[in-house]
Amino acid sequence: MSATHTEYLELLRDVGRQLEQLAALAEQKAAAVRQDDLLGLDEVLKQEQALGLNLRGLELKRQKLVPQLGLEGTKLGELVSKYPPEMELEVRDTVRELQNSYKIYRSCSDMVRTTLELNLHQIEKLVIAAGGDPKDLDTSVGYAAPAGAEPPRNMKTDFRA
C-alpha cells in the first residue's frame, strides 16, 4: 500500500464532500428562487462558484495522481481491481460514498433546474398576459438596471489590491 493510493482515496472523499456541499447549495438556491430572493440567490451562486474553483483544484490534483497510479482510463467502478487487495474494503466504501454523493447532488440539481424552468414559464405567462410576446424578450442581455441606479452595497466589488 503506497501513500499515493491513500492520497487518491482522500481526494475522492474530498470530491464527495464538495458534491454534498453543492447539493446543500442547490437546495438553498431552490428556496431563494421560490421566495424571489435575488440577493440570497446571488450569495448562493457566489458560494457555488467558490466550490467550483475548489473542484477544479481537486481535478488538477487528480490529473497528477492518475498517471502515478497507472489509472489512466479507469472508471470509478473499476477502481477496486487497480488497488492492492488489502485496500479493497476501503476502496469499495470510498467509491460507494462518492457515487451516493453524486446521486444526491444530481437529484438536487435536477430539482433546482425544474424550479427555475417553472419560474421562467411563469414569467412568459406574465409577459403574454401583459400583451407582449415572449419571443420579443432579449435574453442575451440579462438584467439591465435602470439608468443611474446603484446596486446594493453587498453586490459591489472592490477591485483594489
Side-chain angles (χ1 to χ4, degrees):
M1 165 171 60
S2 74
T4 309
H5 283 98
T6 304
E7 185 178 355
Y8 191 71
L9 289 180
E10 188 54 40
L11 173 98
L12 294 178
R13 289 185 199 106
D14 286 345
V15 170
R17 287 188 283 271
Q18 297 287 318
L19 289 172
E20 289 169 8
Q21 290 178 346
L22 282 170
L25 287 175
E27 291 175 355
Q28 292 175 19
K29 187 190 312 182
V33 168
R34 284 191 295 271
Q35 297 168 2
D36 294 327
D37 180 6
L38 292 178
L39 293 177
L41 181 60
D42 183 58
E43 185 60 36
V44 171
L45 292 174
K46 288 177 186 175
Q47 291 175 34
E48 276 186 335
Q49 186 177 22
L51 282 176
L53 292 173
N54 288 343
L55 283 170
R56 178 65 181 140
L58 291 174
E59 172 60 13
L60 293 173
K61 187 175 179 181
R62 188 194 70 78
Q63 288 175 350
K64 288 180 184 176
L65 290 173
V66 165
Q68 292 175 16
L69 293 168
L71 297 175
E72 296 92 343
T74 302
K75 296 180 180 179
L76 194 57
E78 302 167 345
L79 196 59
V80 173
S81 66
K82 302 287 185 169
Y83 261 71
E86 63 270 12
M87 295 185 77
E88 182 178 339
L89 201 55
E90 184 180 3
V91 174
R92 283 189 195 283
D93 288 345
T94 301
V95 167
R96 184 177 26 82
E97 289 171 9
L98 179 56
Q99 289 171 331
N100 287 338
S101 295
Y102 180 73
K103 286 177 188 174
I104 291 168
Y105 165 70
R106 284 298 308 207
S107 174
C108 291
S109 177
D110 290 345
M111 181 259 312
V112 169
R113 186 182 68 242
T114 301
T115 302
L116 288 169
E117 287 172 354
L118 287 172
N119 278 8
L120 289 174
H121 289 300
Q122 288 175 343
I123 291 169
E124 286 179 353
K125 288 179 184 178
L126 289 172
V127 168
I128 292 169
D133 185 353
K135 294 176 187 171
D136 293 337
L137 293 174
D138 187 359
T139 58
S140 65
V141 295
Y143 170 74
E150 286 285 322
R153 183 166 174 73
N154 65 347
M155 292 184 82
K156 293 182 181 180
T157 303
D158 186 358
F159 289 102
R160 294 177 288 182

